[in-house]
Amino acid sequence: MSVEHADLRCETCDDVTDHELHYAGRLLESVRCTRCGSHLEVSQRALLPAYAMDLEKRIVSKPRRMWHRASRDPLGYARQLPAAVLRQPKKFVQEFWSLLRR
């Protein structure tokens, strides 16, 4: 899960404030106002099918994305590939468990 920040209008504060945006993969999972703590979550029932479809798109596009990176910087790509391959299963498990824990 990744966290980003954005200035959004909070329905509770009724003002533009800093918000934490929590993502599972590329899907928005929840939003929290850093001023008042108001929290909005996407339901797990809606998020799981959307995550499955997004994961399918990521898997299908992976060879093209890898080829693009390799063609831009072949030596850098070859150096970084072993670590990237080892990181992917852990990244997937973390994303998936963050969805199930909700």
Side-chain angles (χ1 to χ4, degrees):
M1 178 171 59
S2 64
V3 178
E4 300 288 331
H5 290 267
D7 290 332
L8 302 171
R9 179 170 298 281
C10 179
E11 292 179 354
T12 306
C13 299
D14 198 31
D15 199 9
V16 176
T17 61
D18 184 46
H19 284 69
E20 288 181 351
L21 303 143
H22 297 261
Y23 289 89
R26 297 185 296 188
L27 299 175
L28 183 62
E29 183 180 73
S30 65
V31 179
R32 187 182 70 82
C33 176
T34 57
R35 179 187 287 173
C36 72
S38 177
H39 195 252
L40 174 68
E41 287 188 351
V42 177
S43 74
Q44 185 179 26
R45 186 176 190 162
L47 199 54
L48 282 174
Y51 180 77
M53 289 190 318
D54 182 58
L55 183 61
E56 179 183 355
K57 290 177 185 175
R58 287 164 51 194
I59 291 170
V60 168
S61 69
K62 190 67 169 178
R64 181 175 31 88
R65 290 182 287 133
M66 289 174 70
W67 176 255
H68 182 67
R69 287 184 192 131
S71 65
R72 283 188 314 194
D73 181 16
L75 293 177
Y77 177 78
R79 265 195 323 270
Q80 295 173 357
L81 185 61
V85 168
L86 293 174
R87 253 191 331 266
Q88 290 305 312
K90 180 181 177 188
K91 180 181 170 184
F92 168 73
V93 168
Q94 287 175 334
E95 286 176 3
F96 191 70
W97 282 114
S98 75
L99 295 175
L100 292 181
R101 282 186 303 196
R102 302 177 73 219

